[in-house]
Amino acid sequence: MIRADLHIHSNCSDGSDTIQILADKVSHSNLNIVALTDHDTTDGLHEFEQLLDKRIKFIKGIELTCLAGDIKCHILGYNINPECNELKVLIAKGKILRRQKLDTRIKYLKDVWNIELTQNELDWLYSRNSVVKTHLANILVNRGLAESNVPAMKKYLDDCKTGNTRFDGQEAINAIKSAGGIVVWAHPLGGEGEEHISESLLLERLEKMKSYGIDGLECHYSRYNETEVKFLVKTAKEHNLYISGGSDYHGTNKNIPLGRLNTLDIEIGAENLTILNKVLA
């Protein structure tokens, strides 16, 4: 069986693994095809490709945090050209938005919880290419304020109002397509720690997302059960959308193994991911 994982993260965004460690893990896994899809950055793509076992097919990817109309969503881009100017401009804009969100959260921790970060902690946060809530949560865990990053985020950060610091959905999709990429709606029923939406709401949102120009759905996902996967596969086929799949691996920042594409850990052959017919053509 040919195996693929089209949704993994390194510490260039909010994963725990360095590019070297992640490339080693993937190279020694049973995966045959992999995509690196760090949040709002392409910084690790070149190094990862150089370090990865050449027998593994590599797809250059990205995951953009978006607001498409009134829909909060994550958009995956596959087969992107990292040197595309429009994509570079969007990523540069994203760094400013993330810095604004980080500063708001740092102030919130101080004002509401009387938690003031040290200069070393601040220096580490500001050195990140794509800093997210998980990075702050890890600091809180290291201080012994929570057992893991998920409860740390829920207790100390989820109530912090940061305003809209997401990319405009149309802008993000246009940038991916300008970079030659294929656009996939990531975990459309809900991602890590989110309550999964109903089938009827998914179908309602899908019409809007199609109008923005998505090409596919992430149907096979580590947090989706058999019923959810079957529904998404059926929906993708009915709407002539590519079928994609990924674990959303983040190293120790999430308890998801590489290559897991559903809650039952049933292996999914790459032939079931129709997006590969386009991406690897």
Side-chain angles (χ1 to χ4, degrees):
M1 180 187 292
I2 298 175
R3 300 171 179 84
D5 190 341
L6 305 183
H7 190 163
I8 67 173
H9 296 275
S10 76
N11 73 344
C12 288
S13 64
D14 59 340
S16 64
D17 294 345
T18 65
I19 291 293
Q20 176 72 68
I21 290 172
L22 184 59
D24 287 345
K25 286 183 178 179
V26 173
S27 295
H28 291 92
S29 72
N30 63 358
L31 294 171
N32 309 102
I33 307 167
V34 68
L36 179 62
T37 55
D38 275 320
H39 290 280
D40 306 342
T41 184
T42 59
D43 285 351
L45 293 179
H46 177 72
E47 182 184 2
F48 187 77
E49 184 175 27
Q50 296 303 308
L51 294 172
L52 191 64
D53 188 316
K54 301 310 177 190
R55 293 172 295 181
I56 299 173
K57 293 181 179 179
F58 175 57
I59 298 166
K60 294 177 181 178
I62 194 169
E63 184 174 8
L64 300 177
T65 308
C66 303
L67 184 65
D70 60 349
I71 302 171
K72 291 182 178 180
C73 57
H74 285 195
I75 299 295
L76 291 159
Y78 295 111
N79 257 12
I80 57 168
N81 173 12
E83 300 306 314
C84 170
N85 186 64
E86 188 171 342
L87 184 59
K88 282 185 170 183
V89 169
L90 187 77
I91 290 171
K93 176 182 177 180
K95 287 183 178 180
I96 295 172
L97 293 174
R98 283 190 180 277
R99 176 62 182 264
Q100 292 172 352
K101 183 181 288 188
L102 174 62
D103 288 342
T104 299
R105 286 172 171 157
I106 290 171
K107 186 176 186 299
Y108 178 84
L109 286 174
K110 181 179 180 181
D111 293 346
V112 175
W113 292 100
N114 198 30
I115 298 172
E116 189 164 2
L117 302 188
T118 67
Q119 190 59 52
N120 285 340
E121 290 168 339
L122 292 170
D123 289 344
W124 180 77
L125 286 168
Y126 289 138
S127 71
R128 312 304 304 164
N129 291 314
S130 181
V131 67
V132 296
K133 189 162 52 175
T134 306
H135 293 119
L136 273 170
N138 285 343
I139 288 175
L140 300 176
V141 172
N142 289 338
R143 287 190 175 201
L145 297 173
E147 291 186 0
S148 63
N149 56 43
V150 172
M153 288 186 282
K154 287 183 177 179
K155 180 176 180 178
Y156 294 104
L157 296 166
D158 280 0
D159 289 335
C160 176
K161 306 301 181 185
T162 58
N164 177 31
T165 55
R166 293 170 174 256
F167 294 121
D168 173 77
Q170 190 67 73
E171 179 184 25
I173 288 171
N174 289 347
I176 290 172
K177 294 199 171 186
S178 292
I182 311 301
V183 178
V184 169
W185 183 7
H187 39 70
L189 292 175
E192 179 74 9
E194 296 176 338
E195 183 177 351
H196 294 182
I197 65 174
S198 66
E199 293 183 0
S200 59
L201 182 54
L202 182 282
L203 293 174
E204 177 184 323
R205 290 181 175 180
L206 180 58
E207 292 305 316
K208 296 180 182 178
M209 296 299 288
K210 284 171 58 181
S211 73
Y212 285 102
I214 64 167
D215 302 305
L217 293 178
E218 188 173 48
C219 304
H220 298 277
Y221 182 66
S222 56
R223 298 312 197 200
Y224 291 167
N225 60 37
E226 187 176 6
T227 299
E228 291 171 321
V229 170
K230 285 182 177 179
F231 164 68
L232 288 172
V233 168
K234 176 175 178 288
T235 299
K237 289 179 178 178
E238 290 175 349
H239 290 263
N240 296 313
L241 295 169
Y242 294 118
I243 295 167
S244 188
S247 64
D248 206 3
Y249 173 82
H250 280 70
T252 58
N253 286 338
K254 289 183 182 180
N255 62 336
I256 301 170
L258 279 168
R260 175 165 290 177
L261 301 187
N262 50 68
T263 57
L264 298 177
D265 199 20
I266 297 172
E267 290 194 342
I268 304 297
E271 69 275 7
N272 293 291
L273 306 181
T274 61
I275 190 172
L276 293 175
N277 297 329
K278 177 70 173 179
V279 174
L280 299 179

